[in-house]
Each structure stands twice: as C-alpha cells, then as structure tokens.
Amino acid sequence: ALQSALGACQGVTATVSRDIRIALWEKLLFIAPFGAVGAATRKPAGQWRQVPETRALLEAAMVEVVQLAQARGVALSSEAVAKTLHFVDRLAEDSTASMQRDLLDGKPSELEAQTGAIVRLAAKSGIPVPASAFLYAALLPSERESRSR
C-alpha cells in the first residue's frame, strides 16, 4: 500500500526490497567510503576517483563493508563492490557527499554514524577494517573540532 501511495507521487519511485538489510548495507557500502575518501582528499569525485592510489583506498573500504556485512549475516554480494564502483564512475565530476561538505565547512557530519559505525561494528565482530579505520582516524580531529564549537 505504501509503495502504491508513494508511486502515485510525481517524481517519486518506490520499490520494495526483498531484504531491507541488504538494501541498507548497499547504501552504507556506497556512502561511507565515498564520503570518507572525498573528505580525506578534500576534492570532488572527478579529481580523485581515477587516481590509482585513491581508488584503491575507496575499493578497500568498500570491500571491508561487504566483509563486515557478510560476517554479520547479511547476504551482501561480493559483486556489490564492482557495481558500486561503476556507480561512482558515473557520478558527475563535481560530486561530493554531505559528510565531505560538512567536514570541509567545519560542521558536524555523519562520520560517527557511517565510518565510525563500520569501525565499531568491525571491532565487535573481530573483522579487520584498516582502510575504514585509517579514514576514520584521519577525519576524527575535524569532526571533534566541529562538535566542540
């Protein structure tokens, strides 16, 4: 009923997921690494996604999200990384994430709810996430400064 009601709205596409946990982890797979890498580089996607070293960092963080999801019993496909990288490659050159924009503007961001959550869940699950841990550690001083104002 909700899908039908939302689908009747102009400009709204509503879909029903077979497994909401997979849909949530797929969103996290994109937004947390994309936002954190963008914030760490301080550049829009078009300036960092083709740099081999930076792309490797993005991909490593994405792989960690898939491994963490799988360790927590979510059937997130290993192909999700390639699919998400393809999505990132199709974004506009000037694309940024809200976390990146907030951190660059000195505002509180979603760092704790995204990358921080990955690091904390990984610690509880005994899963190493070195790329995510690096990004979190690198961005944490800016996040803390913005929250202390």
Side-chain angles (χ1 to χ4, degrees):
L2 181 57
Q3 179 186 21
S4 180
L6 291 173
C9 297
Q10 185 175 5
V12 175
T13 302
T15 59
V16 176
S17 174
R18 286 196 265 174
D19 186 338
I20 191 64
R21 296 176 312 143
I22 291 174
L24 291 170
W25 280 90
E26 286 175 339
K27 176 68 174 182
L28 185 63
L29 169 65
F30 163 66
I31 199 59
F34 179 78
V37 170
T41 63
R42 306 177 67 81
K43 301 291 181 194
Q47 292 185 29
W48 60 258
R49 66 184 166 203
Q50 300 304 322
V51 176
E53 296 86 352
T54 311
R55 187 175 185 87
L57 178 61
L58 175 69
E59 186 172 0
M62 288 180 172
V63 167
E64 291 171 359
V65 173
V66 170
Q67 291 170 342
L68 180 58
Q70 291 171 343
R72 297 186 59 83
V74 177
L76 192 57
S77 167
S78 296
E79 289 111 31
V81 171
K83 178 181 161 187
T84 306
L85 285 170
H86 182 68
F87 178 78
V88 169
D89 288 339
R90 292 190 328 259
L91 293 172
E93 293 284 313
D94 63 348
S95 294
T96 58
S98 60
M99 179 169 67
Q100 174 183 358
R101 292 188 301 274
D102 288 344
L103 285 169
L104 293 177
D105 290 342
K107 298 176 184 174
S109 76
E110 304 100 329
L111 180 67
E112 289 295 344
Q114 294 177 5
T115 310
I118 292 166
V119 171
R120 289 186 299 277
L121 287 173
K124 286 182 183 179
S125 302
I127 305 293
V129 290
S132 297
F134 165 76
L135 290 164
Y136 179 67
L139 297 171
L140 196 53
S142 294
E143 181 69 25
R144 287 185 176 166
E145 179 182 10
S146 70
R147 291 193 181 272
S148 69
R149 293 182 186 158

